[in-house]
């Protein structure tokens, strides 16, 4: 209809009307493009908001995992300190038949939590090439820093697990524990073990002290990595809160 009207105006050489029609077309196209751009921008902001909310929820889980890792690392180090002291003191360290304390130290000394990795939503953003949807460059950088630190922490944990294996084998070979019985007693909330849980051979073994020290160092290293990750998570959560409040 508009084209027919423009044609008639051209035939009649009504250039003012032609100009008005042209202006209407241009303005219509401009408004259409603006509406399309607005819709696309709004959709992009909505996708960003969804990703930000998912990141916030997943980093809450990561934070809890790291706190658990730090607590477990501290428990293991304290247990290793006590076992090392018992090794120095000799067989009399558990001569009072305190089997429960001995078991808690042994279980605690080999306790570990797999390090927290980057949230699944971060990996999704990277694999889909959509990380740029997050407008905060500071947040994007912090997410990359956490991902890199998580990889380093995981490799360090794998190394510590390899270091712990000889200690586990040495300790449990010396102690000759019946692990099935031990598990059943722990699940039942009781420990009916004899006071002779840790024999003299544990304290007389020349390799035990060096193994305790090695495992302690690796465990401390894992704890330090977890603390660094936690600091970065706290920063990321602050950045997320800032973006969500925008």
């Amino acid at each position: 209809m508009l084209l027919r009207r423009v044609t008639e105006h051209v035939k009649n050489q009504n250039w003012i009307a032609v100009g008005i029609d042209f202006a209407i077309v241009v303005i219509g196209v401009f408004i259409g493009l603006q509406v399309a751009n607005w819709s696309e921008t709004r959709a992009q902001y909505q996708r960003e908001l969804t990703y930000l909310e998912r990141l916030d929820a997943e980093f809450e889980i990561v934070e809890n995992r790291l706190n658990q890792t730090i607590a477990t690392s501290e428990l293991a180090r304290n247990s290793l300190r006590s076992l090392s002291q018992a090794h120095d003191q000799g067989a009399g360290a558990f001569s009072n038949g305190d089997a429960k304390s001995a078991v808690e130290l042994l279980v605690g000394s080999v306790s570990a939590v797999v390090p927290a990795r980057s949230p699944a939503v971060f990996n999704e953003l990277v694999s889909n090439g959509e990380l740029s949807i997050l407008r905060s460059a500071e947040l994007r950088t912090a997410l990359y820093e956490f991902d890199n630190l998580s990889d380093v922490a995981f490799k360090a944990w794998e190394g510590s697990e390899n270091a712990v294996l000889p200690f586990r084998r040495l300790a449990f070979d010396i102690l000759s524990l019946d692990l099935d019985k031990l598990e059943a007693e722990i699940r039942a909330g009781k420990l009916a073990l004899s006071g002779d849980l840790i024999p003299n051979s544990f304290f007389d073994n020349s390799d035990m002290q060096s193994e305790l020290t090695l495992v302690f160092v690796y465990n401390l290293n894992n704890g330090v990595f977890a603390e660094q990750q936690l600091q970065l998570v706290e920063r990321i959560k602050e950045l997320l809160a800032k973006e969500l409040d925008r």
Side-chain angles (χ1 to χ4, degrees), residues 146-209:
F146 183 82
D147 185 59
N148 291 333
L149 182 57
S150 296
D151 286 342
V152 175
F154 185 78
K155 290 176 182 176
W157 174 79
E158 287 182 320
S160 68
E161 282 295 287
N162 292 332
V164 167
L165 286 176
F167 166 72
R168 286 175 176 166
R169 285 195 292 266
L170 179 61
F172 287 108
D173 284 349
I174 293 173
L175 300 175
S176 301
L177 289 176
D178 185 341
L179 298 184
D180 292 333
K181 179 181 178 183
L182 176 61
E183 179 180 357
E185 290 171 348
I186 291 176
R187 290 184 181 277
K190 61 181 181 179
L191 285 170
L193 300 173
S194 68
D196 193 27
L197 177 67
I198 300 185
N200 291 341
S201 56
F202 176 87
F203 303 98
D204 295 338
N205 190 287
S206 59
D207 295 329
M208 182 54 66
Q209 187 66 31

Side-chain angles (χ1 to χ4, degrees), residues 55-71 113-119 146 150 226-227 229-238 240:
L55 281 168
D56 189 56
E58 290 194 30
F59 268 109
E60 189 71 29
I61 298 172
V62 170
E63 183 179 33
N64 293 335
R65 179 68 168 274
L66 288 170
N67 282 319
Q68 181 186 1
T69 300
I70 292 170
V113 176
V114 180
R117 308 301 297 270
S118 287
F146 183 82
S150 296
E227 290 171 359
Q229 285 179 284
L230 185 59
Q231 290 177 358
L232 195 48
V233 166
E234 292 171 353
R235 177 183 162 204
I236 289 172
K237 291 186 69 176
E238 290 176 358
L240 286 170

Side-chain angles (χ1 to χ4, degrees), residues 41 44-46 48-49 52 130-140 243-244 246:
T41 300
Q44 184 170 330
Y45 284 168
Q46 186 59 47
E48 180 193 26
L49 178 60
L52 289 172
E130 288 193 299
L131 193 63
S132 60
I133 201 173
L134 304 179
R135 287 172 287 170
S136 172
E138 189 177 0
L139 176 58
R140 295 196 302 269
E243 292 301 302
L244 288 169
R246 179 181 292 186

Side-chain angles (χ1 to χ4, degrees), residues 73-118:
S73 176
E74 184 177 1
L75 168 66
R77 294 198 305 274
N78 289 336
S79 298
L80 289 163
R81 285 191 187 95
S82 298
L83 285 174
S84 180
Q85 291 170 1
H87 185 277
D88 292 339
Q89 293 170 12
F94 293 99
S95 59
N96 295 327
D98 191 0
K100 182 176 181 180
S101 295
V103 169
E104 287 175 346
L105 290 178
L106 289 167
V107 172
S109 66
V110 295
S111 297
V113 176
V114 180
R117 308 301 297 270
S118 287

